[in-house]
Amino acid sequence: MSVFNKPKVTLVGAGPGDPDLLTIKGAKALASADVILYDALANKELLDYAPKRAKKIFVGKRKGIHTCSQDDINEMLVANAFEHGHVVRLKGGDPFIFGRGSEEIVFIESYGIDTELVPGISSSMAVPAYQGISLTQRKVSESFWVLTGTTSQKKLSADIEIAAKSSATVVILMGMGKLHQIVRLFQDQNKGEVPVAIIQNGTTDNERIGVGVVDTIEEIVNDNQLSNPAIIVIGEVVRHSHKLKSIYEEMKNSNQSSPSLLLEIHDME
Ligand SMILES: C[S@@+](CC[C@H](N)C(=O)[O-])C[C@H]1O[C@@H](n2cnc3c(N)ncnc32)[C@H](O)[C@@H]1O
């Protein structure tokens, strides 16, 4: 531990993937780190902001399997803070949006270690934004919901049924494994024609997007092998995106919901 660094843990939101979406405060925290614990969704390029001497520990998922449990991570945060001083916990998006950031803070503080939270740009807003999707839009959508598709019990969140009944834009994280059930809930509300965009690896060079409507989105996902990490955006605002508008206009002009048109995948320029 450097002489001046007393034990401290800073939780830093790494943003959604594009490394330029880190905040200045996040970059400053990284620059003063002795140790960094980082997740799979945090862009590794961000480690360049840290001193070369800083210890960098990967604690994310590899091939879908957690390399460390949450308990392991909590213990490592505390142990490294006592041993080395300033620990930065770099987490994808924002640490408080489905990021378990608050749990980590409670655990760390229980050891008398100071914590600080640097909010990050959440994928729930930035990923749709990069595709021109405005989650609220005058005369189109007055609100948006951000939900998890999968609860801590691995079940579909009951809130999705309520969201499907609302007129809000619905943004679902961690929902790919439950897409069929999600589609059914919207169909039950006669929303089969509502536009849907599924964006995988948003804001990165590997970004892929499938667009369609509730009734066709499963076919689009299957045919194009869209998978995690992905965000599901359901609502009329998708049709109004300046980037996606032409697809929906073409669909309307051809007067059919032709799968061949809907199967189009928009690779990033
Ligand atoms: C455990 S949650 C973490 C969310 C994060 N704290 C945030 O604010 O963005 C992980 C889920 O976020 C979504 N996600 C995160 N980054 C993404 C990205 N770049 N593109 C698409 N989805 C993303 C996916 O649904 C993924 O399964």
Side-chain angles (χ1 to χ4, degrees), residues 16 41 92-94 97-98 122-123 127 173-174 199 201-202 228-231:
L41 285 174
D94 180 87
I97 305 291
F98 303 122
S122 175
S123 62
V127 167
L173 278 62
M174 297 174 281
I199 308 157
N201 289 318
N228 284 316
I231 275 181

Side-chain angles (χ1 to χ4, degrees), residues 107-122:
F107 186 85
I108 298 159
E109 294 258 343
S110 74
Y111 284 81
I113 297 170
D114 287 344
T115 60
E116 190 181 346
L117 188 274
V118 179
I121 298 182
S122 175

Side-chain angles (χ1 to χ4, degrees), residues 41-199:
L41 285 174
N43 193 315
K44 276 164 212 58
E45 281 180 41
L46 300 181
L47 299 175
D48 293 344
Y49 286 102
K52 280 208 168 52
R53 59 164 178 81
K55 203 169 135 190
K56 288 128 191 153
I57 308 169
F58 177 73
V59 292
K61 276 187 192 170
R62 270 209 179 102
K63 293 183 181 155
I65 296 168
H66 281 286
T67 51
C68 302
S69 69
Q70 186 63 49
D71 287 345
D72 292 341
I73 294 169
N74 290 350
E75 300 285 353
M76 285 162 83
L77 289 167
V78 168
N80 276 285
F82 280 133
E83 196 176 335
H84 300 286
H86 186 203
V87 177
V88 166
R89 173 76 172 106
L90 191 58
K91 299 174 79 79
D94 180 87
F96 280 178
I97 305 291
F98 303 122
R100 305 189 72 170
S102 53
E103 290 171 45
E104 292 180 7
I105 286 177
V106 168
F107 186 85
I108 298 159
E109 294 258 343
S110 74
Y111 284 81
I113 297 170
D114 287 344
T115 60
E116 190 181 346
L117 188 274
V118 179
I121 298 182
S122 175
S123 62
S124 53
M125 289 184 281
V127 167
Y130 266 39
Q131 284 302 330
I133 301 169
S134 172
L135 297 181
T136 66
Q137 195 167 336
R138 225 152 61 95
K139 299 184 181 163
V140 182
S141 171
E142 292 169 7
S143 63
F144 64 93
W145 289 47
V146 178
L147 305 108
T148 178
T150 314
T151 66
S152 52
Q153 276 85 42
K154 310 275 178 239
K155 297 216 173 86
L156 184 74
S157 164
D159 286 351
I160 295 183
E161 188 175 355
I162 309 170
K165 289 180 182 162
S166 77
S167 59
T169 305
V170 178
V171 181
I172 304 174
L173 278 62
M174 297 174 281
M176 292 302 277
K178 302 267 192 277
L179 187 61
H180 182 65
Q181 295 169 66
I182 293 168
V183 162
R184 290 300 297 268
L185 287 174
F186 280 80
Q187 286 170 334
D188 288 348
Q189 301 301 321
N190 294 320
K191 289 186 171 169
E193 291 301 315
V194 171
V196 183
I198 294 197
I199 308 157

